[in-house]
PDB file of all heavy atoms in Angstrom:
ATOM      1  N   ASN A 558     -80.565  -6.751  -4.806  1.00  0.00           N
ATOM      2  CA  ASN A 558     -80.479  -6.500  -3.430  1.00  0.00           C
ATOM      3  C   ASN A 558     -80.030  -7.713  -2.651  1.00  0.00           C
ATOM      4  O   ASN A 558     -80.465  -8.818  -2.954  1.00  0.00           O
ATOM      5  CB  ASN A 558     -81.795  -6.033  -2.847  1.00  0.00           C
ATOM      6  CG  ASN A 558     -82.202  -4.637  -3.297  1.00  0.00           C
ATOM      7  OD1 ASN A 558     -81.320  -3.941  -3.865  1.00  0.00           O
ATOM      8  ND2 ASN A 558     -83.430  -4.206  -3.022  1.00  0.00           N
ATOM      9  N   GLY A 559     -79.032  -7.507  -1.767  1.00  0.00           N
ATOM     10  CA  GLY A 559     -78.408  -8.691  -1.102  1.00  0.00           C
ATOM     11  C   GLY A 559     -77.052  -8.964  -1.612  1.00  0.00           C
ATOM     12  O   GLY A 559     -76.340  -9.813  -1.041  1.00  0.00           O
ATOM     13  N   VAL A 560     -76.630  -8.280  -2.681  1.00  0.00           N
ATOM     14  CA  VAL A 560     -75.329  -8.533  -3.228  1.00  0.00           C
ATOM     15  C   VAL A 560     -74.231  -8.137  -2.209  1.00  0.00           C
ATOM     16  O   VAL A 560     -73.065  -8.656  -2.210  1.00  0.00           O
ATOM     17  CB  VAL A 560     -75.108  -7.737  -4.539  1.00  0.00           C
ATOM     18  CG1 VAL A 560     -75.114  -6.219  -4.279  1.00  0.00           C
ATOM     19  CG2 VAL A 560     -73.756  -8.103  -5.228  1.00  0.00           C
ATOM     20  N   GLU A 561     -74.657  -7.257  -1.211  1.00  0.00           N
ATOM     21  CA  GLU A 561     -73.677  -6.900  -0.149  1.00  0.00           C
ATOM     22  C   GLU A 561     -73.270  -8.030   0.714  1.00  0.00           C
ATOM     23  O   GLU A 561     -72.273  -7.951   1.423  1.00  0.00           O
ATOM     24  CB  GLU A 561     -74.315  -5.762   0.677  1.00  0.00           C
ATOM     25  CG  GLU A 561     -75.634  -6.048   1.384  1.00  0.00           C
ATOM     26  CD  GLU A 561     -76.869  -5.813   0.446  1.00  0.00           C
ATOM     27  OE1 GLU A 561     -76.725  -5.631  -0.734  1.00  0.00           O
ATOM     28  OE2 GLU A 561     -78.029  -5.776   0.996  1.00  0.00           O
ATOM     29  N   PHE A 562     -74.033  -9.133   0.670  1.00  0.00           N
ATOM     30  CA  PHE A 562     -73.620 -10.295   1.474  1.00  0.00           C
ATOM     31  C   PHE A 562     -72.648 -11.245   0.719  1.00  0.00           C
ATOM     32  O   PHE A 562     -72.107 -12.153   1.250  1.00  0.00           O
ATOM     33  CB  PHE A 562     -74.838 -11.127   1.819  1.00  0.00           C
ATOM     34  CG  PHE A 562     -75.849 -10.444   2.642  1.00  0.00           C
ATOM     35  CD1 PHE A 562     -77.107 -10.121   2.122  1.00  0.00           C
ATOM     36  CD2 PHE A 562     -75.580 -10.022   3.957  1.00  0.00           C
ATOM     37  CE1 PHE A 562     -78.075  -9.405   2.855  1.00  0.00           C
ATOM     38  CE2 PHE A 562     -76.509  -9.396   4.676  1.00  0.00           C
ATOM     39  CZ  PHE A 562     -77.735  -9.034   4.177  1.00  0.00           C
ATOM     40  N   ALA A 563     -72.430 -10.973  -0.562  1.00  0.00           N
ATOM     41  CA  ALA A 563     -71.628 -11.844  -1.403  1.00  0.00           C
ATOM     42  C   ALA A 563     -70.109 -11.625  -1.361  1.00  0.00           C
ATOM     43  O   ALA A 563     -69.753 -10.465  -1.055  1.00  0.00           O
ATOM     44  CB  ALA A 563     -72.145 -11.753  -2.785  1.00  0.00           C
ATOM     45  N   ASP A 564     -69.359 -12.634  -1.613  1.00  0.00           N
ATOM     46  CA  ASP A 564     -67.929 -12.500  -1.680  1.00  0.00           C
ATOM     47  C   ASP A 564     -67.469 -12.249  -3.065  1.00  0.00           C
ATOM     48  O   ASP A 564     -66.487 -11.633  -3.346  1.00  0.00           O
ATOM     49  CB  ASP A 564     -67.258 -13.786  -1.205  1.00  0.00           C
ATOM     50  CG  ASP A 564     -67.500 -14.029   0.260  1.00  0.00           C
ATOM     51  OD1 ASP A 564     -66.818 -13.419   1.137  1.00  0.00           O
ATOM     52  OD2 ASP A 564     -68.467 -14.776   0.654  1.00  0.00           O
ATOM     53  N   SER A 565     -68.289 -12.837  -4.032  1.00  0.00           N
ATOM     54  CA  SER A 565     -67.954 -12.541  -5.503  1.00  0.00           C
ATOM     55  C   SER A 565     -69.259 -12.528  -6.260  1.00  0.00           C
ATOM     56  O   SER A 565     -70.204 -13.129  -5.912  1.00  0.00           O
ATOM     57  CB  SER A 565     -66.929 -13.626  -5.995  1.00  0.00           C
ATOM     58  OG  SER A 565     -67.399 -14.916  -5.711  1.00  0.00           O
ATOM     59  N   PHE A 566     -69.177 -11.786  -7.415  1.00  0.00           N
ATOM     60  CA  PHE A 566     -70.318 -11.610  -8.224  1.00  0.00           C
ATOM     61  C   PHE A 566     -69.910 -11.571  -9.685  1.00  0.00           C
ATOM     62  O   PHE A 566     -68.879 -11.089 -10.021  1.00  0.00           O
ATOM     63  CB  PHE A 566     -70.967 -10.178  -7.880  1.00  0.00           C
ATOM     64  CG  PHE A 566     -72.026  -9.773  -8.866  1.00  0.00           C
ATOM     65  CD1 PHE A 566     -73.344 -10.290  -8.801  1.00  0.00           C
ATOM     66  CD2 PHE A 566     -71.712  -8.906  -9.899  1.00  0.00           C
ATOM     67  CE1 PHE A 566     -74.301  -9.950  -9.632  1.00  0.00           C
ATOM     68  CE2 PHE A 566     -72.730  -8.489 -10.831  1.00  0.00           C
ATOM     69  CZ  PHE A 566     -74.018  -9.003 -10.715  1.00  0.00           C
ATOM     70  N   ASN A 567     -70.760 -12.189 -10.516  1.00  0.00           N
ATOM     71  CA  ASN A 567     -70.336 -12.296 -11.920  1.00  0.00           C
ATOM     72  C   ASN A 567     -71.599 -12.124 -12.852  1.00  0.00           C
ATOM     73  O   ASN A 567     -72.688 -12.573 -12.571  1.00  0.00           O
ATOM     74  CB  ASN A 567     -69.742 -13.710 -12.142  1.00  0.00           C
ATOM     75  CG  ASN A 567     -69.442 -13.955 -13.581  1.00  0.00           C
ATOM     76  OD1 ASN A 567     -70.154 -14.689 -14.249  1.00  0.00           O
ATOM     77  ND2 ASN A 567     -68.439 -13.389 -14.136  1.00  0.00           N
ATOM     78  N   PHE A 568     -71.361 -11.424 -13.989  1.00  0.00           N
ATOM     79  CA  PHE A 568     -72.355 -11.468 -15.078  1.00  0.00           C
ATOM     80  C   PHE A 568     -71.671 -11.318 -16.406  1.00  0.00           C
ATOM     81  O   PHE A 568     -70.488 -11.013 -16.476  1.00  0.00           O
ATOM     82  CB  PHE A 568     -73.434 -10.391 -14.874  1.00  0.00           C
ATOM     83  CG  PHE A 568     -73.110  -9.043 -15.506  1.00  0.00           C
ATOM     84  CD1 PHE A 568     -73.695  -8.665 -16.718  1.00  0.00           C
ATOM     85  CD2 PHE A 568     -72.289  -8.161 -14.817  1.00  0.00           C
ATOM     86  CE1 PHE A 568     -73.431  -7.451 -17.263  1.00  0.00           C
ATOM     87  CE2 PHE A 568     -72.019  -6.908 -15.420  1.00  0.00           C
ATOM     88  CZ  PHE A 568     -72.563  -6.556 -16.620  1.00  0.00           C
ATOM     89  N   ASN A 569     -72.374 -11.575 -17.457  1.00  0.00           N
ATOM     90  CA  ASN A 569     -71.775 -11.741 -18.766  1.00  0.00           C
ATOM     91  C   ASN A 569     -72.167 -10.566 -19.660  1.00  0.00           C
ATOM     92  O   ASN A 569     -73.243 -10.575 -20.240  1.00  0.00           O
ATOM     93  CB  ASN A 569     -72.253 -13.035 -19.515  1.00  0.00           C
ATOM     94  CG  ASN A 569     -71.474 -14.251 -19.019  1.00  0.00           C
ATOM     95  OD1 ASN A 569     -70.557 -14.113 -18.236  1.00  0.00           O
ATOM     96  ND2 ASN A 569     -71.922 -15.425 -19.457  1.00  0.00           N
TER      97      ASN A 569
END
Side-chain angles (χ1 to χ4, degrees):
N558 288 349
V560 66
E561 57 276 14
F562 300 112
D564 295 278
S565 51
F566 169 80
N567 175 255
F568 88 101
N569 283 352

